[in-house]
Amino acid sequence: VRLAFDWLDRQEFHRTYDLGCALMAYEALGKGRRPMELIREYAKKLVGTAGNGQRKNGGRWGYPGNHSGADMGWTDLSNTQFAVLGLRAARRCGVKIGSRSLWTRVAQGLIQDQDSYGGFGYRGGEKHSASMTCAGITGLVLCREVLEDVNAEKGVLGKVRVGIKRGFMWLEKNWAIDRAIDYRVKGHNNAVWHYYYMYGLERVCAFTDTARIGDHDWHAEGAKLLVGAQQSPGC
């Protein structure tokens, strides 16, 4: 573990996933051992890249930069999820990062992107999927946590709470643990993102202390599937 953090301390991260994951790792390291200056630096980078350089993108994140050379204004919910996870980790380390205005924009962007069924797509307007619905609910839950702390407008908080409830209703209606439901693909089964969906499901249920999705014990069902999928010699 020490060797891994020695390596981590020497890196220069700029991309959203790297920054978010590094901040979560430093939060897990424990009080008194964290490189606070580095945590502040990484958190500021995330705040600075909100909207991927374009104000019209509000509180959404991209890589930052373009996506496969296609779009310099690219943002998506997956990047946004890891940005919010990272900023939340920084706050839990004692770095009060992000203004009330920023967190309000993040929440409003998520609410705007949630479809009429309660689900979320990879980008606003795209068909919904299980992995992105988990990402959207997680984003709303963490926004609620911060917005309650900074006394945000009750109207915004009310919409966030409704969005969380509608997201869980989507998960219950579209429940599956052996596959990732994705309405973008034929058969609505996206095998590529199955484990990413399971990660997102664990995050959102852990953050909300949710034991069951409808009649389903998500942890027991998910653990059984994961243990059963483990290969020799352990991968």
Side-chain angles (χ1 to χ4, degrees), residues 73-138:
W74 180 280
T75 61
D76 61 66
L77 183 50
S78 183
N79 271 293
T80 299
Q81 174 183 215
F82 276 87
V84 173
L85 284 167
L87 290 174
R88 189 244 192 192
R91 290 181 65 87
R92 287 172 61 86
C93 291
V95 178
K96 299 295 184 182
I97 197 72
S99 64
R100 181 169 64 180
S101 173
L102 172 65
W103 286 97
T104 300
R105 292 203 311 275
V106 176
Q108 289 173 333
L110 290 167
I111 292 164
Q112 180 181 332
D113 290 345
Q114 190 174 28
D115 71 16
S116 57
Y117 297 97
F120 287 85
Y122 180 54
R123 304 186 79 192
E126 287 193 8
K127 292 182 178 179
H128 41 224
S129 69
S131 60
M132 289 298 96
T133 298
C134 288
I137 302 170
T138 295

Side-chain angles (χ1 to χ4, degrees), residues 23 26 34-43 90 93 95:
L23 286 168
Y26 285 132
R34 298 165 178 152
M36 294 305 297
E37 288 303 315
L38 203 52
I39 290 171
R40 290 189 187 93
E41 177 190 338
Y42 286 174
C93 291
V95 178

Side-chain angles (χ1 to χ4, degrees), residues 209-224:
D209 198 25
T210 297
R212 305 183 77 85
I213 303 291
D215 295 329
H216 298 275
D217 183 334
W218 64 269
H219 186 271
E221 292 182 28
K224 182 178 179 181

Side-chain angles (χ1 to χ4, degrees), residues 161-212:
R161 294 186 183 110
V162 170
I164 294 168
K165 183 177 180 179
R166 292 178 63 236
F168 272 109
M169 290 172 64
W170 188 97
L171 288 178
E172 181 177 355
K173 184 177 180 180
N174 295 272
W175 175 257
I177 197 70
D178 60 340
R179 63 194 184 280
I181 300 295
D182 189 337
Y183 284 90
R184 297 174 300 174
V185 300
K186 187 176 180 179
H188 305 159
N189 178 14
N190 194 334
V192 175
W193 303 116
H194 185 198
Y195 290 143
Y196 182 39
Y197 154 58
M198 296 186 79
Y199 169 81
L201 180 66
E202 186 280 331
R203 289 290 74 200
V204 71
C205 290
F207 286 138
T208 57
D209 198 25
T210 297
R212 305 183 77 85

